[in-house]
Amino acid sequence: MPVSAYEQLLVDVLPSRIETNAEYDTIRTRFGDLLRKARRCKAEERLMDLLGVLIEDFDRRNSLPPDDGTPSERLRFLMEHSARPSSDLLTVFGQRSHVNEALNGKRPISIEQARRLGRMFSVSAGLFI
């Protein structure tokens, strides 16, 4: 029985649930290579879909804060995982003391600040409300 183009791609890539950052980097690189191709065959499109699902799954498990966290815990989580300094939040909160209070849960995050944080981290503003 002949091997289809998609099956051959699966053999070449050996996709599985991503558990480590090294695996993540490998899959993202392969996804990026496919994305940059000017023309992709149907098998490559199917592989891209699969790799995208694997990447989203890893991101969901490792890059987003827990759903049961407070807005300040979510903000701290995103700051740590994005390796951003707290000074990046000055554009959102205006003053260093307001940044520190928001990070420590002593200052509520307004709707407009939540919107700005959502844009900054490419997440839903609802995480911060």
Side-chain angles (χ1 to χ4, degrees):
M1 178 176 193
V3 176
S4 72
Y6 181 64
E7 290 169 335
Q8 186 57 50
L9 286 172
L10 290 175
V11 169
D12 293 343
V13 176
L14 293 175
S16 63
R17 188 170 195 203
I18 303 169
E19 298 295 341
T20 67
N21 287 330
E23 291 171 349
Y24 182 79
D25 292 341
T26 300
I27 296 294
R28 292 263 326 197
T29 298
R30 181 69 170 143
F31 183 84
D33 292 344
L34 289 168
L35 189 62
R36 285 187 290 281
K37 285 183 80 168
R39 292 183 180 261
R40 291 179 294 275
C41 67
K42 288 188 186 260
E44 290 171 324
E45 291 286 342
R46 285 182 67 192
L47 180 62
M48 273 186 67
D49 289 343
L50 175 60
L51 297 180
V53 168
L54 295 173
I55 291 166
E56 286 177 12
D57 174 65
F58 182 85
D59 285 344
R60 186 177 55 256
R61 288 183 290 120
N62 296 285
S63 297
L64 293 178
D67 290 336
D68 59 348
T70 66
S72 63
E73 289 170 337
R74 293 177 186 140
L75 179 55
R76 284 194 310 271
F77 179 93
L78 290 168
M79 292 295 291
E80 290 171 19
H81 280 79
S82 65
R84 287 179 177 262
S86 60
S87 60
D88 283 2
L89 297 177
L90 286 172
T91 60
V92 174
F93 294 102
Q95 298 177 23
R96 190 168 304 279
S97 62
H98 293 178
V99 169
N100 290 332
E101 290 170 356
L103 286 170
N104 293 319
K106 295 179 181 177
R107 172 178 286 275
I109 297 172
S110 72
I111 292 173
E112 182 54 37
Q113 290 166 337
R115 286 184 185 128
R116 290 180 188 168
L117 291 169
R119 285 191 298 272
M120 178 182 283
F121 292 104
S122 299
V123 296
S124 169
L127 285 175
F128 306 106
I129 296 175

